[in-house]
Amino acid sequence: MKIWCFCLCFTREEEDDREELGEEDKGEAMAENVFRDKDDPVGRIKNEEEPEQLGFAGNGRGLDEQLRLFEDDAVAIRDGAAHWEGAAHAGSLFSWFGSSRGSEGEASSASATGGVEDRGHDYHHKRFKAHSDSHDYHFPTSVASNAGNSRSSAERVYHFSQGSSIPPENQLFYHSLTMTDGGDENPSESSDGKDDGDEIGSLKTEDFEVRMDLTDDLLHMVFSFLDHINLCQAARVCRQWRGASAHDDFWRCLNFENRNISIEQFEDMCRRYPNATEVNISGAPSIHLLVMKAVSSLRNLEVLTLGRGQLGDTFFHALADCYLLTRLNVNDATLGNGIQEILINHDGLRHLQLTKCRVMRVSVRCPQLETMSLKRSNMAQAVLNCPLLNELDIGACHKLSDAAVRSAVTSCSQLESLDMSNCSCVSDETLREIALTCPNLHFLNASYCPNISLESVRLPMLTVLRLHSCEGITSASMAAISHSYMLEVLELDNCNLLTSVSLDLPHLKCIRLVHCRKFADLNLRSTTLSTIMVSNCPVHRINITSNSLQKLALQKQESLTTLTLQCQTLQEVDLTDCESLTNSICEVFSDGGGCPMLKSLVLDNCESLTAVRFCSASLFSLSLVGCRAITALELTCPYLEQVCLDGCDHLERASFCPVGLQSLNLGICPKLNVLSIEAPHMVLLELKGCGVLSDASINCPLLTSLDASFCSQLKDDCLSATSASCPLIESLILMSCPSIGSDGLYSLRCLPHLTVLDLSYTFLLNLQPVFDSCLQLKVLKLQACKYLADSSLEPLYKGGALPSLQELDLSYGTLCQSAIEELLACCTHLTHANRLLQNLNCVGCLNIRKVFIPPAARCFHLSSLNLSLSSNLKEVDLACFNLCFLNLSNCCSLEILKLECPRLTSLFLQSCNIDEVAVEAAISKCSMLETLDVRFCPKVCSMSMGRLRLACPSLKRIFSSLSPS
């Protein structure tokens, strides 16, 4: 196999394509220089001539001679050339081309056609071809440098796969890549002696080839996402990319904002792109000279943006020559050369913006002008002759007098939007004249105008009115506002003299009242009202009528005592921290109260509520967090699924009949003594901690879990009624319920699915009611049941009771030694078939002295045994095949330990008096032991851990005391 790569290099004199595109190349470089940030000198491109390049073309040799030279080079460096493995490297070469300088990319594009003769050919549809093969390829290249360089071609090969050095500007590029698999076939013969690039590219290949097409349309679409800097960089890749990047579509807008552009550079850009329609030279130096150049040379200019400089009178005189100009934006500029008036006269201008400008007087004569902004400019007078003007912004024009504002605004009879905020001199007289001369005014912003009170002002077409911080606005002003029957948005923030608002506006959608220090009464009637913002106001009464309001938030209205709502579509209400609300609020949100679609109600921290009663067919969520004064709660809400009572620690009586709750936690209500629940969907009920609960009626047919821990007043009759009405209970926790006796436990036979029963800390004398009633029990917890008789467990291992029992907890009990020994030794009788005991807890059983589980007990499923804190335990002898966890910590009398537990993984002997020899012997038969805890064992030396590891190689963790004994 031979791989051939042909390269051409052109001198400055003979590179016709370079000469043909020389000016364009310079322009691209200049463009990139312009569009780089003025603070980035590194990124600038100098328009200096490149060093003269020497190569085969420069020596006048033909293509045949070049091919022979390449063939010689190939022979010379065949063994040392860079490897090219598969088509994956084609992408790296292509990306290498893409990162080249513009002149080099142009030479590459030109040479791809086979020679300089074809420079007039259309190159736009040439495609890069990467041929993939399973062989390793070697690519020779001849690198031309300075004349007289004696270095061989082999010494100047570049290893592309390693990302080696990219040739500088005076070195040539790879311009075509052709891979053949034709044995020793002469490449010149395979091309029939032709020197055309397409013929060379069609050499015989095997396997397959990957083609990457970049048509003009595709390239145009891709370039449309690039900014000017990236377009300049893309133009340096090849001729096709240069032509595509220079398309007028990408240069309609010439943005030189904050660019350090010179007059010559700007003039060149205007010459190169005469069809530009938008120019931004804000922040550029000498903006007056630049804009004059733009006005004189860009005849299609439509948008002009200037700023941060001085604009002389000649610019405003020359504006009339820009016939197509529609938008002029001037920001933070000084206008004129010191004369009293600046005249802006243009027949086609539609949008004018003069913000933060410094000028004494402005006269605008633009018959087509539609919008104008003079915001924050310091002119003393503005003369407007703009009959079609519909939007005017003179906000923060502090030097405009009341008469000047009146004169400017009243001259625009078609005005629809007016922003006069922060014009402190504006008076009601000016507003009255504006109302008469501008009948179509829809938007008015008169914020921060202290002298207006709207007295006798009538603006019937107004839809948006903003009156922030208007000290003259009082309750009397509402009479004027009520005449604006088309009003949709009203903002009255920081109107400190406003005490009440009473409006009946059919189109009002939004109202804001924030930080109105004397505001006390709100009365609104509007069928379209959808947004109300009342914040930090001492409001006492609110009356709202609306058919569109869906969400109402009145948080932190500490003085609110009366709330009346007639809102047919209201769904969410948040009254958090409304501390003065009384119990009458319940009528507002119950059926018939005016909110028939209410779904979510938040009354958090409403500390004046004492008795809450809701009867609602729509309520879904209720939050009463922090309502500490509530003592009675009555909810008749069949669709209520969420209720939060955190902090209601004084609740005494609660009724949930009926509700749609699926779970309920009342354990946070320690004073609850009467409870009634009717919840057809409830599955989880927690009463843990209701220590005074004595009367509980629970009717939840789907209930599966009931936790009544520490409900010390619950009696047998309550348990019997609950068992009858909740037949699906699977888990029942009655820990510390001392009033529960045999009658209540016998009622558990109504619970055929009961599998978990906790009777810890109760006063049970025997377990026969449990054995008779709970036939499917899997977990039985009897911690600290100190009154159980020693014979209580005999039905387990002698009578076959509780055939499904898997976990038994006898911790802190007082059963005698014989009872425990018989239980452990006869575990095989605990269950029938394959359901054997898995977990056994005998923590703190002081009567245990010996634990013996022989192999005959067949404890095949016992996996966890906890005997910790059994201080009188002296001997443990276990033969349990599946035991994984054994805890003997704090068994301070332990002396003998025998283990035949091949699957034991964790053994805890902390604070035991056993010696290390016994420990070593015990763990030697535990082949899977990983964790051993012998801390604070006085007879186990921490220096002997090596012996323990030798006795049990599977050990991974040994916890021992730091100091040796």
Side-chain angles (χ1 to χ4, degrees), residues 276-435:
T277 60
E278 183 175 348
V279 171
N280 185 346
I281 53 176
S282 179
S286 306
I287 61 170
H288 178 75
L289 298 178
L290 296 180
V291 73
M292 292 304 296
K293 181 60 64 178
V295 168
S296 62
S297 56
L298 301 179
R299 311 312 301 175
N300 296 321
L301 197 60
E302 297 178 3
V303 180
L304 185 57
T305 301
L306 314 169
R308 291 189 287 278
Q310 183 170 6
L311 296 173
D313 301 334
T314 55
F315 162 68
F316 296 99
H317 293 308
L319 270 181
D321 297 333
C322 292
Y323 302 107
L324 300 181
L325 189 68
T326 60
R327 183 182 294 272
L328 174 62
N329 302 322
V330 182
N331 180 57
D332 194 12
T334 300
L335 310 183
N337 298 328
I339 62 175
Q340 295 297 315
E341 183 177 74
I342 290 298
L343 175 63
I344 300 177
N345 189 353
H346 196 284
D347 293 336
L349 196 65
R350 295 182 181 273
H351 308 282
L352 175 62
Q353 180 176 313
L354 303 176
T355 57
K356 295 176 64 177
C357 290
R358 295 166 291 279
V359 62
M360 291 298 297
R361 175 187 172 99
V362 171
S363 179
V364 182
R365 299 175 185 175
C366 301
Q368 300 297 323
L369 196 65
E370 298 175 359
T371 67
M372 180 167 59
S373 175
L374 304 176
K375 198 175 188 71
R376 301 178 65 184
S377 294
N378 67 351
M379 72 280 295
Q381 189 170 4
V383 179
L384 307 183
N385 187 0
C386 310
L388 299 182
L389 189 68
N390 57 53
E391 183 177 330
L392 176 61
D393 185 351
I394 55 174
C397 292
H398 299 291
K399 291 189 177 181
L400 282 179
S401 63
D402 187 33
V405 172
R406 187 185 317 158
S407 175
V409 177
T410 55
S411 64
C412 307
S413 59
Q414 301 298 318
L415 203 62
E416 297 180 1
S417 174
L418 174 61
D419 187 340
M420 49 191 293
S421 57
N422 283 286
C423 292
S424 55
C425 297
V426 175
S427 63
D428 286 335
E429 182 181 355
T430 295
L431 287 179
R432 284 193 290 269
E433 291 203 20
I434 292 175

Side-chain angles (χ1 to χ4, degrees), residues 246-303:
H247 198 283
D248 283 350
D249 288 351
F250 308 138
W251 299 92
R252 296 290 184 184
C253 174
L254 302 181
N255 187 355
F256 304 102
E257 184 175 5
N258 297 325
R259 304 290 177 186
N260 189 16
I261 182 173
S262 66
I263 301 297
E264 294 77 11
Q265 290 172 329
F266 184 76
E267 183 178 4
D268 180 74
M269 294 300 294
C270 292
R271 177 182 58 80
R272 289 172 55 82
Y273 305 106
N275 295 323
T277 60
E278 183 175 348
V279 171
N280 185 346
I281 53 176
S282 179
S286 306
I287 61 170
H288 178 75
L289 298 178
L290 296 180
V291 73
M292 292 304 296
K293 181 60 64 178
V295 168
S296 62
S297 56
L298 301 179
R299 311 312 301 175
N300 296 321
L301 197 60
E302 297 178 3
V303 180

Side-chain angles (χ1 to χ4, degrees), residues 748-761:
L748 299 183
R749 65 184 58 179
C750 299
L751 305 178
H753 304 283
L754 186 65
T755 58
V756 178
L757 178 62
D758 190 345
L759 297 172
S760 302
Y761 296 92

Side-chain angles (χ1 to χ4, degrees), residues 839-850:
N839 301 312
L840 179 60
N841 293 329
C842 296
V843 178
C845 293
L846 302 181
N847 293 331
I848 300 179
R849 289 173 173 79
K850 179 180 179 180

Side-chain angles (χ1 to χ4, degrees), residues 186-197:
N186 193 318
S188 60
E189 294 176 2
S190 65
S191 62
D192 296 330
K194 297 180 181 180
D195 58 352
D196 183 73

Side-chain angles (χ1 to χ4, degrees), residues 683-909:
V683 296
L684 175 64
L685 176 60
E686 185 169 339
L687 304 175
K688 183 177 182 179
C690 296
V692 296
L693 181 62
S694 58
D695 185 4
S697 174
I698 302 174
N699 184 8
C700 305
L702 299 183
L703 191 68
T704 61
S705 177
L706 173 60
D707 187 347
S709 304
F710 303 101
C711 293
S712 57
Q713 302 300 319
L714 280 182
K715 297 180 174 58
D716 288 343
D717 56 347
C718 178
L719 181 58
S720 300
T722 302
S723 300
S725 60
C726 307
L728 299 182
I729 290 180
E730 299 175 3
S731 175
L732 179 61
I733 312 299
L734 298 174
M735 181 172 63
S736 294
C737 294
S739 299
I740 298 296
S742 297
D743 293 340
L745 294 179
Y746 274 116
S747 69
L748 299 183
R749 65 184 58 179
C750 299
L751 305 178
H753 304 283
L754 186 65
T755 58
V756 178
L757 178 62
D758 190 345
L759 297 172
S760 302
Y761 296 92
T762 56
F763 298 155
L764 295 178
L765 300 178
N766 66 81
L767 297 174
Q768 195 60 43
V770 176
F771 298 149
D772 294 341
S773 305
C774 308
L775 302 182
Q776 302 300 322
L777 205 61
K778 296 180 180 180
V779 178
L780 178 59
K781 296 186 178 182
L782 301 170
Q783 295 183 21
C785 291
K786 299 183 179 182
Y787 295 96
L788 283 176
D790 293 338
S791 60
S792 298
L793 297 179
E794 289 184 0
L796 281 177
Y797 54 86
K798 290 183 178 181
L802 303 182
S804 299
L805 190 65
Q806 296 180 8
E807 181 176 341
L808 178 62
D809 193 341
L810 301 173
S811 302
Y812 307 106
T814 58
L815 292 177
C816 67
Q817 166 71 16
S818 59
I820 299 297
E821 287 183 358
E822 291 181 10
L823 171 68
L824 296 175
C826 302
C827 287
T828 184
H829 301 297
L830 285 178
T831 63
H832 298 301
N834 294 323
R835 303 304 298 269
L836 302 177
L837 189 66
Q838 296 181 10
N839 301 312
L840 179 60
N841 293 329
C842 296
V843 178
C845 293
L846 302 181
N847 293 331
I848 300 179
R849 289 173 173 79
K850 179 180 179 180
V851 173
F852 175 58
I853 301 181
R858 296 189 299 166
C859 295
F860 297 135
H861 287 266
L862 186 63
S863 60
S864 174
L865 178 59
N866 192 344
L867 300 168
S868 61
L869 295 172
S870 299
S871 56
N872 294 319
L873 182 61
K874 293 184 178 182
E875 180 180 352
V876 173
D877 188 350
L878 304 178
C880 300
F881 180 76
N882 281 313
L883 190 66
C884 298
F885 176 89
L886 177 59
N887 191 351
L888 299 172
S889 297
N890 294 286
C891 295
C892 53
S893 299
L894 184 64
E895 297 177 354
I896 301 173
L897 179 61
K898 298 179 181 180
L899 301 177
E900 292 186 12
C901 306
R903 294 191 177 181
L904 188 67
T905 59
S906 300
L907 175 59
F908 294 87
L909 300 171

